[in-house]
Amino acid sequence: GDSVTQMEGPVTLSEEAFLTINCTYTATGYPSLFWYVQYPGEGLQLLLKATKADDKGSNKGFEATYRKETTSFHLEKGSVQVSDSAVYFCALSVPLYSGGSNYKLTFGKGTLLTVNP
Amino acid sequence: DAGVTQSPTHLIKTRGQQVTLRCSPKSGHDTVSWYQQALGQGPQFIFQYYEEEERQRGNFPDRFSGHQFPNYSSELNVNALLLGDSALYLCASSSDLGYEQYFGPGTRLTVT
């Protein structure tokens, strides 16, 4: 079935360091890919998305490129801030059932990022 | 423009009881999905409602049921609560049949 594998955390970085969180997926067809962020005590916020191969999603300095050949969607940021401390989830959007037009999200387990000043 | 709202924020129940959680979708959204997020895990799909019908269910027992109202708001009901039902329950809404989903803040359910 469809699944998402994220690098295990926690990840601890100093402010202004470079961030990479790896994400690979298994899916039939051509899913859309998403990164969500969850701050402590809150729900999930959509961070960025990519809908087809070679698309690059970007938002708030974060980027991820949809790599079909390696089935990956790694999250990167050039210079992290303390305010980026959160849990990051990689997710893919797949049809509820074969031939259907409704979609559901399948998530990875999440990666906790802590950024120290 | 209000986003997705959920109530209550927190809830404590005893094993065997029943609980109802509520969700109001973002304005203009007509599809509501429910997810369960256990501590330290990613959200797991429970089911999705569209046009007041359950469209698909994830790997959850029939103790979990739901409803969607004509104004697109939704309820999640859980009967015969188990300790393992303790989790954050997230509601997500969409205007494109669930393709891109926006989440509410969640309801934290604790079963004792």
Side-chain angles (χ1 to χ4, degrees):
Chain A
D2 303 311
S3 66
V4 175
T5 302
Q6 285 182 239
M7 66 183 284
E8 296 208 7
V11 174
T12 303
L13 297 173
S14 298
E15 207 164 23
E16 299 185 3
F18 185 85
L19 168 70
T20 299
I21 300 178
N22 291 337
C23 170
T24 58
Y25 67 89
T26 301
T28 53
Y30 303 98
S32 290
L33 301 173
F34 301 84
W35 278 99
Y36 283 85
V37 57
Q38 187 174 37
Y39 297 101
E42 299 185 10
L44 275 67
Q45 296 179 24
L46 178 61
L47 182 59
L48 54 84
K49 67 177 182 181
T51 59
K52 61 183 187 296
D54 300 325
D55 264 3
K56 177 184 282 188
S58 61
N59 186 26
K60 299 180 182 180
F62 291 90
E63 292 183 340
T65 301
Y66 189 162
R67 301 287 187 199
K68 181 169 172 289
E69 62 277 11
T70 55
T71 61
S72 65
F73 192 54
H74 304 322
L75 182 68
E76 297 182 335
K77 187 176 185 183
S79 176
V80 293
Q81 305 299 312
V82 172
S83 58
D84 294 327
S85 298
V87 180
Y88 292 81
F89 292 94
C90 183
L92 56 84
S93 180
V94 294
L96 291 182
Y97 48 87
S98 179
S101 52
N102 291 64
Y103 291 82
K104 67 175 182 179
L105 293 171
T106 297
F107 288 87
K109 291 186 175 181
T111 303
L112 172 62
L113 169 66
T114 301
V115 181
N116 296 317
Chain B
D1 175 27
V4 180
T5 60
Q6 292 186 244
S7 63
T9 304
H10 295 89
L11 206 50
I12 299 175
K13 290 287 188 178
T14 303
R15 247 182 327 176
Q17 287 188 314
Q18 178 264 344
V19 67
T20 297
L21 311 181
R22 295 177 176 82
C23 171
S24 291
K26 188 175 166 65
S27 178
H29 287 189
D30 58 6
T31 303
V32 174
S33 302
W34 286 92
Y35 294 82
Q36 181 195 64
Q37 185 181 14
L39 199 61
Q41 301 295 315
Q44 297 292 315
F45 176 75
I46 302 175
F47 42 50
Q48 184 181 96
Y49 279 85
Y50 173 66
E51 294 184 332
E52 301 181 46
E53 290 186 6
E54 181 182 301
R55 292 293 165 165
Q56 187 65 291
R57 167 181 290 262
N59 190 25
F60 282 83
D62 291 345
R63 297 187 297 109
F64 289 77
S65 64
H67 189 75
Q68 185 178 36
F69 299 93
N71 67 353
Y72 308 121
S73 66
S74 177
E75 288 182 349
L76 165 65
N77 301 293
V78 187
N79 294 322
L81 285 166
L82 303 174
L83 295 179
D85 295 331
S86 295
L88 180 67
Y89 288 85
L90 295 164
C91 167
S93 73
S94 171
S95 62
D96 51 8
L97 304 177
Y99 193 76
E100 184 170 318
Q101 299 184 18
Y102 292 83
F103 284 79
T107 294
R108 173 72 62 187
L109 172 65
T110 302
V111 182
T112 62

